[in-house]
Amino acid sequence: MTLVLVALSLALTRVASSVPPHEEVARMARFVVNKCDWASMATISTHEPVKGQPFSNVFSISDGPPGNGTGTPYMYLTHMEISVQDLQVNPQASLAVSLAQSSYCKNHGFDPQSPLCAHIILSGSVIQVNGSEASAAKESLFSRHPEMADWPTDHNWFFAKMNISQVWVLDYFGGVKKVTEEEYYNASQR
């Protein structure tokens, strides 16, 4: 029992010590996106009675292996899904991810809404990927979400990505910070 507690303590210390300082905004954004396995995606609804209003739904994501992500969130989608139907009319969307998905915030006593529990909002368009990028998306997603491989084939699943145009970071008090696409993709994951 003591060994289990020591191992758990060491693992939590590694997660806490790997969180970038809040001054490194682009690095924080990349870190949080890579740590998260799911996102809340907001679209503009095409369905009554909420047509024209924001509509949020949960999607599994992956930008690559933990600690070695690309920064690009990939998703496994079907046209049967209500938010994907919204994207067919308007591909613009936002993805929100938060360290509240990890044990970090809870272990530090941070409420999920607290800016100390870093959350990132990515805005852009969701587009289908093909060829070698679809292969990379499949490897990225199925490594984190292995049950996807067994989802019904008659749903005509396809791989997509968030084509990021805006990055918003809330990781400390004082308001949201914006990161350019270039800063985001060039950020170190050390």
Side-chain angles (χ1 to χ4, degrees):
M1 179 68 166
T2 303
L3 278 172
V4 171
L5 291 176
V6 169
L8 181 60
S9 176
L10 288 173
L12 293 175
T13 302
R14 276 193 294 267
V15 170
S17 65
S18 64
V19 174
H22 70 87
E23 298 88 359
E24 296 182 38
V25 182
R27 189 169 154 227
M28 178 65 82
R30 287 286 301 274
F31 176 84
V32 175
V33 168
N34 184 249
K35 289 291 180 200
C36 292
D37 288 329
W38 59 270
S40 175
M41 180 166 60
T43 58
I44 301 300
S45 180
T46 57
H47 301 277
E48 295 296 344
V50 293
K51 187 174 183 176
Q53 297 178 28
F55 188 82
S56 185
N57 206 341
V58 172
F59 290 88
S60 297
I61 63 165
S62 177
D63 80 329
N68 193 27
T70 64
T72 300
Y74 288 104
M75 295 164 274
Y76 196 40
L77 304 176
T78 174
H79 292 290
M80 296 172 76
E81 207 289 319
I82 193 167
S83 295
V84 175
Q85 294 168 13
D86 295 341
L87 293 170
Q88 290 176 281
V89 174
N90 180 354
Q92 300 300 304
S94 292
L95 287 178
V97 293
S98 170
L99 279 183
Q101 288 186 40
S102 71
S103 58
Y104 177 78
C105 298
K106 187 172 188 173
N107 290 339
H108 285 82
F110 300 151
D111 186 86
Q113 188 176 332
S114 168
L116 299 175
C117 184
H119 41 288
I120 313 303
I121 302 166
L122 306 172
S123 293
S125 56
V126 177
I127 59 172
Q128 185 170 346
V129 296
N130 297 299
S132 62
E133 189 170 14
S135 296
K138 179 179 181 178
E139 183 178 332
S140 178
L141 282 159
F142 286 18
S143 67
R144 285 195 182 202
H145 308 282
E147 81 170 62
M148 287 179 168
D150 297 322
W151 287 357
T153 57
D154 65 347
H155 284 46
N156 297 313
W157 297 94
F158 63 93
F159 296 97
K161 70 178 179 180
M162 168 61 83
N163 191 16
I164 299 169
S165 60
Q166 299 288 321
V167 179
W168 305 71
V169 178
L170 190 56
D171 66 346
Y172 201 72
F173 295 100
V176 71
K177 299 170 222 141
K178 295 180 188 175
V179 174
T180 68
E181 182 182 352
E182 183 179 3
E183 292 168 330
Y184 176 76
Y185 282 111
N186 289 332
S188 166
Q189 292 190 58
R190 50 181 157 122

